[in-house]
Each structure stands twice: as structure tokens, then as C-alpha cells.
Amino acid sequence: MNRKTLLAFFLILFLLATATPHPVQKSSQPAATPATVSIPFELVIRHIVVGVMIDNSRPLSFVFDTGDKVAIVDSDLAKDLGLKLEGQINVGGTGSDFLRGSFVKESTWTLPGVAGFSQPVMLALPLRRLAARFGHDFDGIIGSDFIKRYVVEVDYAARKLVLHDKDKFSYSGPGESIPIEFDHQGHPLIEAEIIPLGGASIKRRFVLDLGSGGGLALHSPFVTEHQLLSPTLKTIRAIGAGGAGGQSVGRIGRISELKIGKFRIASPTVLFSEDKAGAFANESLAGNIGQQVASKFKLYLDYEHARIILEPAATFNEPFAKASSGLALMGEGVGYSTLRVIDVLENSPASEVGLQKDDVITKVNDKLASELTITKLSEMFERSVPYKLTIQRGDRTLQVTLRPRKLV
């Protein structure tokens, strides 16, 4: 659910249920008290992707998302797997669109390596379009219903989730325990402060949203209330931003500081939302704190004790100084191996060398683009070094040299 990605943005809100009532779900089996269990994950466009199974299916790729509550499966996949679907539900998230889905009846998901664990799959929603934005299979989402069964340690550096017995967990380390509360959808809310450039400190509540590949996203009512998008603030148009609810609009810039507990994060990049509807137009919260901030820590999600422990990682003091190409991409075809340009930022390295929407990148330096992924290419373009790109534009083949640079 980026280039400050996207895919932010899987804050799933139940907005309207229609047709038949919610079906009664089969009770999940109580999870056996686990020894500490380590679950590897991939980081795909800054999103945590874990392998799961539904009813003994083939391995599936689900996004781990604190901005979600129940287990959600892609609608087309649900039909392919022969899952029982009932009723209709309209769901919104980041962006102004609604997704029409169904309730899932009598199916459970399991996590390989976690003996005795299963939980119901609750919803089927059309998520396939997000797979193209990931350049990776996107089969579903898991959230707080799973997290609250354990203390979940999120270790970005080691690319693993560690599940601890919530009744036996005890922490001793250099981290700080941050109290949390939960909204009606089970999303964790924390208190944090922002200091705008040249402004005074503002303390508000934020969603800790590990399903967002961005850093800090400020909701449009909060931006308007505090006049944060002043004409003197240097910003660029947000491209490739959105999630399950469609495209999100806004500007990317910076604030002076983000403070969470005792931790001060200097000059983070920020999405100043201009959305008129959807999750980023939520008036009750200031914004979302996503992966680019969260990955500066090892996190312990201890929902049982209404806290999140933040332990600074080795990367904590690294500045937000990554370069940008000015490109937003999507993957097409088998294995998402066709890398197509879906947006080009004005006054960026990409626009300056003449790249256009619908161009297809076929080579980067001497490497076929089909051997790369969107994640790998995005990571490469965060370095300010020259890249020789071979481009297919209709029946023409072009070559350009792209050198990403810091834009804000």
C-alpha cells in the first residue's frame, strides 16, 4: 500500500459496508506461546514484505503494516484460491478513491515458522494495481490483529521481525518506551513534536505507519491550520505518492526537526499533503510517521502494554540527504521486468535530460533493466552518480545520462 514512495500509504479505513451483513468468521486457533521466533522480510520500496500462506496455499507476499488492522487479501488472488467471498464493502485509504471488496469467510492465514499460529483473513480488496507500483507481488496486508498477539521487534538493519511472548517479554537496553493509544481501527498513535523551518514547536498525535514508505506525512488540515506551505518554503511536487485509495497530492519539503520522546531527528523530508479526501485529509491527527523515520530505530511493538520502544539504530544520525532522479516508475509484464516511467518531475534530473512519461528503461549502464527491480533502481537513484540509461520511446531507442541530485 515512492519515490518517497508511494505506497504510503496503506492506512486502511472502513468507511461503508453494504449488501449482506458481516459474516461470522471461524474462530482463529489460539497461538501457542512462542519461543522467540525470527521471521525474515524483504524491504520492497521501503515496505516490509513477509511470506505467508492462506489455507495451505503457495507462498504469498503480504505487507506488514501498522496502519492496517485486519488481514486483507487481493480480490483476484482470493478468487484464484477459491476463497468464499460474501457481501460488499467500500474501503478508502490514502487518496480519494474507494475500493470495492468483499468479506472473506472461513479462511485463515499462517506464517511459516510460527507453530500454532493462524488468524482469519477478513477482507478481499483489489490490490493488484499496487503490485505494479512495487514491481513485486502484492498479495495482501497484515496489521494490528497480528501485532497484538506478540511483542513484535522490527529490525530493519537485519531485515527481520522477531516475535516475543508478550506475557514474558522484558526489555533492557538503550531505547525509550513511548506510550501509545489506539484509534478505533487499531492503529497506534504517538505524541510527537515538529518544528517548522523558522517556526515554533507544535505537539500533536501521529499514526506510526510502517506501511508507509515515506518519512513524515503531514495531513492537509494540519498543513492548512499552521500555514506550513508558505511561499518561501522550498518544495517540489510529490510524484508517485499514493496507496490503496489512489493517488495522493502534495509537496515535498523539509521541517527543522521532528521530536519523538527524547529523540530529535534533524531536517527530515516531509510530505505536506494537499489531499481533499482520504486518510491524509484526516482532521483528527497531524500526520503519519513512516519507514524513513522508523528505520532509524529498532522498534518493539508492545501493544499489550500500550507502548512502542524505540532503540536508535546505527543509522540514526545519518542525515536525510538522498538524491532524487525525478522519476516515478511502475513494473509491467512477467516478473514486473518492464520498467515504465509513469511521471516525471519538472525541473529535475529526469526532465532536464528529456525523459518523458511512458518511456521504458531497457538498460542502466550495461545492465539490462529486466535484471533490476524497482526497489534496486530506486536505491541506485538515491546516489548522486551518473547513470547511462537506454530508453525505448515508441519505435525509437535513445540514450541519456542521468545524474540524480538532492532536490530539497
Side-chain angles (χ1 to χ4, degrees):
M1 259 140 173
N2 149 48
R3 306 27 89 165
K4 306 281 196 231
T5 70
L6 306 180
L7 297 152
F9 315 129
F10 298 108
L11 189 65
I12 301 297
L13 304 175
F14 290 80
L15 298 180
L16 176 66
T18 59
T20 62
H22 195 307
V24 176
Q25 293 285 341
K26 181 176 70 176
S27 299
S28 60
Q29 296 295 322
T33 301
T36 298
V37 179
S38 180
I39 306 297
F41 67 76
E42 290 184 78
L43 201 60
V44 178
I45 306 294
R46 302 187 186 280
H47 293 75
I48 294 172
V49 176
V50 297
V52 312
M53 298 173 70
I54 296 178
D55 299 340
N56 297 312
S57 69
R58 61 176 174 81
L60 306 172
S61 296
F62 273 44
V63 171
F64 174 85
D65 184 1
T66 57
D68 168 57
K69 184 177 189 299
V70 301
I72 302 170
V73 64
D74 171 67
S75 297
D76 289 339
L77 175 63
K79 294 172 185 175
D80 291 344
L81 296 177
L83 306 188
K84 296 180 181 178
L85 305 179
E86 289 191 356
Q88 289 184 351
I89 186 169
N90 292 333
V91 176
T94 302
S96 59
D97 296 341
F98 291 89
L99 301 179
R100 175 166 291 181
S102 303
F103 298 107
V104 179
K105 183 179 180 181
E106 297 178 357
S107 284
T108 59
W109 70 276
T110 55
L111 198 57
V114 184
F117 171 83
S118 67
Q119 281 189 331
V121 180
M122 301 295 287
L123 294 177
L125 296 174
L127 303 175
R128 282 280 166 89
R129 67 181 181 183
L130 293 173
R133 304 283 290 278
F134 269 43
H136 189 284
D137 287 340
F138 185 98
D139 297 320
I141 309 171
I142 53 175
S144 63
D145 280 1
F146 164 64
I147 297 167
K148 68 185 181 183
R149 298 285 284 268
Y150 307 96
V151 172
V152 180
E153 176 184 340
V154 183
D155 189 339
Y156 282 101
R159 299 288 195 271
K160 65 180 181 180
L161 303 177
V162 182
L163 309 183
H164 300 269
D165 185 334
K166 64 182 182 180
D167 297 319
K168 299 177 181 178
F169 177 77
S170 177
Y171 177 80
S172 60
E176 180 179 3
S177 180
I178 306 294
I180 59 174
E181 54 185 301
F182 300 93
D183 67 12
H184 66 286
Q185 291 299 330
H187 308 147
L189 310 180
I190 66 174
E191 191 172 83
E193 294 179 53
I194 69 162
I195 303 177
L197 293 173
S201 175
I202 309 169
K203 182 182 289 188
R204 286 289 186 87
R205 294 187 309 163
F206 295 78
V207 175
L208 180 67
D209 186 5
L210 302 191
S212 163
L216 176 64
L218 298 179
H219 294 176
S220 53
F222 180 79
V223 172
T224 300
E225 176 188 355
H226 295 281
Q227 299 180 340
L228 298 180
L229 272 177
S230 69
T232 59
L233 181 67
K234 182 179 180 180
T235 63
I236 59 174
R237 179 172 61 91
I239 64 171
Q247 288 292 105
S248 181
V249 296
R251 307 289 298 181
I252 300 292
R254 291 182 183 267
I255 59 172
S256 178
E257 187 175 84
L258 169 67
K259 183 180 179 184
I260 308 173
K262 67 182 180 182
F263 300 108
R264 295 177 178 270
I265 299 168
S267 193
T269 51
V270 177
L271 169 66
F272 298 91
S273 175
E274 297 176 303
D275 285 351
K276 304 301 182 184
F280 284 2
N282 181 356
E283 296 181 354
S284 65
L285 298 169
N288 289 34
I289 296 172
Q291 187 274 344
Q292 292 185 48
V293 170
S295 62
K296 288 180 169 292
F297 302 92
K298 180 187 290 185
L299 302 93
Y300 296 82
L301 308 179
D302 186 0
Y303 286 10
E304 178 75 9
H305 299 99
R307 65 175 181 167
I308 294 173
I309 299 169
L310 301 179
E311 182 179 300
T315 57
F316 179 80
N317 289 316
E318 290 183 2
F320 287 81
K322 292 181 172 63
S324 176
S325 66
L327 289 175
L329 302 171
M330 68 182 296
E332 297 177 341
V334 177
Y336 312 101
S337 58
T338 299
L339 303 183
R340 185 177 299 277
V341 175
I342 58 171
D343 201 355
V344 178
L345 179 66
E346 54 277 6
N347 302 314
S348 71
S351 66
E352 289 161 3
V353 297
L355 290 174
Q356 300 177 8
K357 182 179 178 182
D358 288 327
D359 284 347
V360 173
I361 300 174
T362 59
K363 272 189 180 181
V364 181
N365 296 332
D366 293 323
K367 195 174 186 68
L368 290 174
S370 59
E371 299 175 22
L372 300 169
T373 63
I374 290 180
T375 295
K376 179 61 177 175
L377 204 55
S378 297
E379 291 171 350
M380 291 168 62
F381 287 168
E382 289 175 351
R383 301 192 299 273
S384 186
V385 298
Y387 297 96
K388 183 179 178 181
L389 305 185
T390 302
I391 303 296
Q392 193 68 37
R393 182 180 297 166
D395 58 0
R396 299 170 59 199
T397 300
L398 310 171
Q399 289 190 336
V400 299
T401 299
L402 177 74
R403 184 171 191 137
R405 66 175 185 271
K406 182 179 170 183
L407 297 180
V408 293

